[in-house]
Amino acid sequence: MNTFNFRKQFKRRWRRWKRTVWMTAALLAVTILAYSGLSISSTIERLLTTNFSEATSVMGPVTQETRSEQEIQALVEQLDSDPDHLTSVVLETQYICGVETEQLGKMARPQLKMLLAQHPEWDATVGTSDELHLKQRVDDLSPLCKQQAYISIDAVGNLNLYEGKPTDEKVIRTFFQLDVGTLESSLPEGVLEQLQQGIRIQDKDEYDSVISTFSDYAVDEDHHLIRNGG
């Protein structure tokens, strides 16, 4: 538990430091855009003046990713050739549980290049000559999942993540099959019943804890406990 808290504090401090660097650089960039006469919508300004990963933790360890000028130029050249043309930008956020799509508005080429340089961890593809698709992966549950996600077991022993109560049968993903007999005899009374009714998941810590607990009772295709090696 102490190690976990230490890691959380370290990550929080790292995010604060990273946000400060981004804000300083981005504020300068916004000032330059303003003096150049380019209008900046509130959505775009929010993107250019805040580090988007402050609210969400991107999947995997912090890396020193960069997107080269050549890569940025190659993407921009697939868009409308008119330098004054405004391109629609769509951001898709893929969570452990859930997907959200956000319309970021229209951006001119300088704004597009800045956004692509700021977020090299985002996948970028050109949908049409006037639409840019961005995709980020977040190691967390979506806000909607935090409100209504459950982990439960189905009739054949599969451990599933559900949108809403398990009785609604809206399976988001299946993790593995459980040895129900071993689980029932090994864990305290009532645990299996609670799992069958559905365990409410409200954050990533709960999600990880539940998956870790029940992974000890996962079985392979021959119904042997994986933790025992067969």
Side-chain angles (χ1 to χ4, degrees):
M1 185 62 69
N2 290 336
T3 301
F4 175 75
N5 289 335
F6 172 78
R7 288 177 179 172
K8 284 187 70 175
Q9 291 175 6
F10 177 79
K11 287 180 180 178
R12 191 179 297 115
R13 289 173 183 169
W14 168 255
R15 291 194 194 106
R16 286 186 189 140
W17 178 85
K18 190 177 178 184
R19 180 184 62 177
T20 301
V21 173
W22 273 118
M23 287 184 67
T24 302
L27 282 170
L28 178 61
V30 169
T31 302
I32 294 172
L33 284 173
Y35 275 107
S36 300
L38 292 172
S39 61
I40 305 173
S41 70
S42 59
T43 302
I44 297 170
E45 186 171 4
R46 171 172 60 83
L47 281 168
L48 299 180
T49 57
T50 61
N51 184 2
F52 219 78
S53 62
E54 172 66 14
T56 55
S57 175
V58 178
M59 192 169 287
V62 177
T63 62
Q64 300 296 322
E65 285 188 84
T66 59
R67 181 179 274 124
S68 69
E69 292 184 13
Q70 290 80 4
E71 291 175 313
I72 294 174
Q73 188 61 33
L75 283 166
V76 171
E77 285 178 354
Q78 297 178 52
L79 300 168
D80 193 292
S81 57
D82 183 355
D84 297 323
H85 180 78
L86 296 178
T87 299
S88 297
V89 182
V90 180
L91 174 62
E92 179 182 296
T93 304
Q94 294 185 341
Y95 296 88
I96 296 173
C97 165
V99 177
E100 291 187 346
T101 301
E102 182 180 3
Q103 301 288 336
L104 302 185
K106 294 181 179 291
M107 299 188 189
R109 283 199 172 196
Q111 295 167 316
L112 289 172
K113 290 181 177 180
M114 187 187 308
L115 187 63
L116 289 168
Q118 267 193 312
H119 296 283
E121 75 279 7
W122 292 357
D123 295 332
T125 56
V126 175
T128 64
S129 62
D130 62 352
E131 189 170 75
L132 180 67
H133 291 273
L134 302 172
K135 183 184 295 182
Q136 68 168 337
R137 295 171 179 82
V138 175
D139 189 25
D140 198 0
L141 310 183
S142 72
L144 182 61
C145 273
K146 288 179 178 180
Q147 294 174 10
Q148 58 184 34
Y150 286 81
I151 289 179
S152 184
I153 188 173
D154 62 21
V156 295
N158 291 321
L159 188 70
N160 300 319
L161 178 66
Y162 292 86
E163 178 184 337
K165 293 187 176 180
T167 51
D168 296 335
E169 298 185 347
K170 294 182 179 179
V171 177
I172 298 173
R173 64 180 295 187
T174 297
F175 301 107
F176 38 74
Q177 189 173 18
L178 294 172
D179 182 331
V180 178
T182 303
L183 186 153
E184 187 172 19
S185 62
S186 301
L187 293 179
E189 184 178 353
V191 171
L192 179 59
E193 182 180 355
Q194 182 183 5
L195 179 60
Q196 291 169 334
Q197 293 175 354
I199 298 174
R200 183 77 172 82
I201 303 298
Q202 301 183 73
D203 57 44
K204 186 175 181 295
D205 288 342
E206 291 178 349
Y207 174 92
D208 288 339
S209 177
V210 172
I211 299 303
S212 176
T213 297
F214 292 107
S215 65
D216 283 345
Y217 305 94
V219 297
D220 60 20
E221 294 181 355
D222 296 321
H223 301 282
H224 295 140
L225 272 178
I226 294 176
R227 64 171 179 170
N228 293 335

